[in-house]
Amino acid sequence: GLVLPVSFSLADFFTAVNGDGDHVTVVRGSTSDSLIDFLNEFYLDFYTADGSLFSGNEIFEPKEDALPIDMDQLTVWDWTGVDIDKEVTAPEGHTSVHDKVKTELERTDAAVILYDHGTGEIADFVTITEFGDETAFTFYHCKGSGSATAGARVDDVYEVSGQAQKSVAWAGLSRFEQRIHYKKRKTNLIRGTPEALQQILERAKSRRQRFDVKIVQPGISKATISAGMAECLGATSGHLRGFGLPRLEIIGSA
């Protein structure tokens, strides 16, 4: 893939390390800009472990300190037979984290199961389920363990927590539908058909909608979770609640 080294400073924002800032062009309608100019106009957002937002050259800190994650928000799965340090693929005859999640989701009564792993993903997996007069959308963000055994490694939660926080961008029916149509060639339907998906989305417009976010990280041990991990996950949960989403659920190990 393309690699374009850039540097960042509070004064100059993004600049190309090798001076070749025009190597990549971003086209928007009838206008075009270099990638560097685009990044400096439409800032990247970075979320920190304590829930702060770094955008442009400004940092926005949470109004109050994040509370550690409630242990009731941690769900334990049985990972026997799963190579928990293999996120997407595992050697032949072995099971990866994504394989395990797929198997578990196929046991649910979700009407639609989407696999959206890749650049610009909504989440690794998305399920859509109809309950009474409610349509529930659940985003599953998955990450492999940093080791073959679960433990108290804070690195195991940083990246996946950031992915979960970004879920708020798609936690609305119109935004979700637009994103699905935009990515339809890159999104795999594990259960359901394109026609069934469209019918469910149409019905959802006259029903209550619920958006849930779940983190799947077998490297998180409920028994030995560290204070740093609990605070990072707590900040993520608080961020989601601030946008009106239900409590974050973390699926990990015993």
Side-chain angles (χ1 to χ4, degrees):
L2 175 69
V3 177
L4 181 66
V6 298
S7 62
F8 178 84
S9 70
L10 294 178
D12 298 324
F13 289 71
F14 290 99
T15 56
V17 171
N18 56 13
D20 189 13
D22 298 324
H23 186 64
V24 177
T25 300
V26 178
V27 178
R28 295 174 295 122
S30 60
T31 64
S32 62
D33 298 287
S34 71
L35 177 60
I36 297 298
D37 289 340
F38 178 82
L39 291 176
N40 287 333
E41 182 176 357
F42 300 96
Y43 306 139
L44 295 175
D45 290 339
F46 298 94
Y47 296 96
T48 67
D50 67 356
S52 297
L53 166 64
F54 184 72
S55 182
N57 64 353
E58 297 181 282
I59 189 166
F60 303 91
E61 297 181 340
K63 294 181 180 179
E64 55 188 44
D65 292 338
L67 296 174
I69 197 74
D70 189 327
M71 289 299 108
D72 289 341
Q73 292 174 252
L74 271 66
T75 299
V76 173
W77 276 7
D78 181 3
W79 297 94
T80 303
V82 179
D83 289 357
I84 65 172
D85 57 341
K86 302 296 188 295
E87 179 183 342
V88 180
T89 58
E92 186 175 354
H94 293 246
T95 303
S96 70
V97 174
H98 280 206
D99 292 334
K100 168 69 172 178
V101 175
K102 178 176 178 290
T103 298
E104 292 295 331
L105 296 184
E106 288 177 330
R107 292 173 178 165
T108 71
D109 57 359
V112 172
I113 303 174
L114 296 162
Y115 183 58
D116 192 38
H117 176 68
T119 303
E121 67 185 33
I122 297 172
D124 292 299
F125 293 88
V126 179
T127 62
I128 307 176
T129 310
E130 293 179 308
F131 301 101
D133 64 347
E134 181 178 77
T135 302
F137 301 80
T138 306
F139 301 160
Y140 291 83
H141 293 279
C142 312
K143 193 67 180 173
S145 172
S147 175
T149 57
R153 296 172 297 271
V154 72
D155 286 349
D156 277 346
V157 302
Y158 277 150
E159 183 176 352
V160 74
S161 291
Q163 292 170 345
Q165 289 187 29
K166 293 176 183 177
S167 292
V168 298
W170 317 119
L173 183 58
S174 62
R175 287 172 288 171
F176 178 83
E177 187 173 15
Q178 288 173 5
R179 192 63 176 176
I180 285 295
H181 289 325
Y182 172 77
K183 294 189 81 249
K184 60 183 177 181
R185 294 183 180 178
K186 301 178 182 178
T187 301
N188 296 321
L189 276 165
I190 296 174
R191 177 182 294 166
T193 64
E195 294 74 21
L197 171 60
Q198 188 56 46
Q199 290 170 5
I200 288 174
L201 294 177
E202 284 299 318
R203 287 197 297 270
K205 294 176 182 178
S206 58
R207 297 160 57 90
R208 291 189 298 119
Q209 300 139 31
R210 175 188 175 102
F211 288 84
D212 288 280
V213 177
K214 301 190 181 193
I215 285 175
V216 181
Q217 170 51 285
I220 299 173
S221 167
K222 186 172 183 177
T224 62
I225 186 171
S226 68
M229 296 169 74
E231 290 171 4
C232 181
L233 293 169
T236 300
S237 184
H239 176 83
L240 297 177
R241 287 200 308 272
F243 281 88
L245 274 66
R247 293 205 318 170
L248 172 70
E249 180 182 359
I250 299 95
I251 298 170
S253 301

